[in-house]
Amino acid sequence: MYIFKTAKDLNRHLQIYRDKKRPVGFVPTMGALHQGHLSLVKRSLADNPCTVCSIFVNPTQFNESSDLAKYPRSPERDLELLHNVGCDVVFMPAVAEVYPKGLQFEDTAQLDFGSLAKVMEGAHRPGHFDGVAQVVKRLIDIVQPDRMYMGQKDYQQLLIVRSMVQQLALPVEVVACPIVREADGLAMSSRNQRLTAEQRQQAAAISDVLRQAAQWAAVHTPEEVAQKALRALEEAGLEPEYFTLADPVDLSPVHRFSEEEEAVMAFVAARAGEIRLIDNGLVKKG
Ligand code: AMP
């Protein structure tokens, strides 16, 4: 497994694949890796002769400085996990390598995500998606992958990145991968490490509520489903930020369940203490 810290060294290596027109798969991460991240790496390994995984905690997408400071970092363990699954290349750049001209927004500042960026995470984490678009653009420019693998755990982020790729006509295919969960249903997340034993138990309510929401949706209105879900999260000891039923394509809010075959997804953000967790799931099949 090759480990590169600079774009120059990475590119010298990847040129061999580009010259032979052999596809490069890319998995951007912020490290503190778990089986969710590794599922993306494995998918890329199955699809491409070369897989690059980046580990970069992007300062521009954190809207709370304490969240950035406390973001878990375990580079040595990450490298071991990546080595064990057979990852080809790891890119671990410093902040100045990704942003040589400083942290200000440049080529992604003119993008328009419309309502996609105004709801849910966009509404609750000001500036977050600007930072995500900026870093993903920079990483795509550096790695020049043919395919990029992203998790549906961050569903709204996936749609934002797809929109950016389309608006800038970037030559990369964005591949969506399913959410990997713990045995009790909790979506895997680097932030789960920071939960106390009690919070870890409470956090299981998030996926429980998503599962129940699919049943409630058969007999209740979307508003009733959301109210029941918020109450259940509070009763579990969590502090819900939102529970939203939305269209999976454009994230527009769903106010009534139609008879037609239109899929509806539920999106949730809740805090266990100061740890903010998100998850989503289908409540009505299309
Ligand atoms: P992060 O390191 O949190 O920025 O995540 C890097 C990538 O891994 C993103 O595309 C995430 O959506 C994806 N990811 C994180 N957690 C999971 C999970 N539990 N299942 C599948 N993908 C995930």
Side-chain angles (χ1 to χ4, degrees):
M1 186 171 78
Y2 293 89
I3 302 164
F4 299 113
K5 297 200 166 186
T6 67
K8 199 171 150 210
D9 289 345
L10 175 72
N11 274 296
R12 194 179 299 132
H13 180 78
L14 293 182
Q15 200 54 44
I16 310 164
Y17 293 89
R18 294 187 196 123
D19 288 346
K20 292 187 183 158
K21 305 230 175 310
R22 305 187 74 197
V24 171
F26 177 43
V27 181
T29 82
M30 297 205 298
L33 301 183
H34 50 67
Q35 291 301 323
H37 297 114
L38 297 179
S39 74
L40 310 187
V41 174
K42 288 180 199 163
R43 174 73 200 274
S44 175
L45 286 168
D47 291 352
N48 305 285
C50 178
T51 291
V52 179
C53 176
S54 66
I55 298 176
F56 178 65
V57 182
N58 173 36
T60 71
Q61 73 187 70
F62 285 83
N63 54 315
E64 289 175 29
S65 54
S66 67
D67 192 25
L68 171 61
K70 289 182 187 166
Y71 198 82
R73 292 165 205 246
S74 50
E76 268 147 44
R77 182 161 181 277
D78 291 348
L79 290 175
E80 193 183 317
L81 290 169
L82 289 170
H83 174 75
N84 291 345
V85 295
C87 185
D88 301 296
V89 176
V90 186
F91 182 46
M92 303 174 90
V95 172
E97 187 70 20
V98 176
Y99 300 120
K101 295 187 216 149
L103 297 184
Q104 69 278 11
F105 294 90
E106 279 183 9
D107 38 0
T108 51
Q110 84 285 6
L111 295 175
D112 182 5
F113 298 112
S115 58
L116 266 191
K118 295 195 179 80
V119 294
M120 303 188 295
E121 294 302 281
H124 285 82
R125 301 186 66 187
H128 171 62
F129 286 130
D130 295 330
V132 168
Q134 180 196 29
V135 74
V136 175
K137 170 68 167 58
R138 281 295 300 134
L139 290 171
I140 289 175
D141 284 350
I142 293 170
V143 180
Q144 297 169 49
D146 296 277
R147 302 190 182 101
M148 184 167 67
Y149 295 81
M150 304 192 76
Q152 294 193 340
K153 155 96 180 357
D154 302 280
Y155 191 90
Q156 193 173 4
Q157 164 174 284
L158 179 71
L159 295 191
I160 293 274
V161 169
R162 282 221 164 112
S163 168
M164 176 185 77
V165 164
Q166 199 184 8
Q167 288 181 60
L168 298 175
L170 302 176
V172 57
E173 179 193 349
V174 180
V175 182
C177 301
I179 302 175
V180 178
R181 299 178 178 281
E182 302 285 357
D184 65 357
L186 177 66
M188 290 193 183
S189 164
S190 304
R191 290 187 169 86
N192 292 353
Q193 294 180 20
R194 296 181 53 210
L195 299 168
T196 63
E198 190 194 7
Q199 289 167 343
R200 171 63 189 81
Q201 277 196 328
Q202 294 169 336
I206 297 173
S207 58
D208 288 347
V209 164
L210 283 170
R211 265 197 310 274
Q212 282 176 291
Q215 291 163 6
W216 294 333
V219 285
H220 291 280
T221 66
E223 192 174 328
E224 286 165 351
V225 172
Q227 275 169 5
K228 285 169 84 69
L230 290 169
R231 207 173 317 127
L233 291 166
E234 276 166 13
E235 278 165 11
L238 300 167
E239 231 184 285
E241 276 189 13
Y242 61 80
F243 187 97
T244 304
L245 294 167
D247 179 287
V249 177
D250 63 8
L251 300 185
S252 60
V254 167
H255 298 296
R256 65 180 192 91
F257 295 118
S258 70
E259 301 292 306
E260 277 111 73
E261 296 190 342
E262 284 165 5
V264 177
M265 278 178 74
F267 297 86
V268 55
R271 282 183 195 262
E274 64 170 14
I275 320 297
R276 191 172 180 282
L277 302 170
I278 60 169
D279 199 353
N280 65 74
L282 207 57
V283 294
K284 181 174 167 283
K285 290 200 180 93

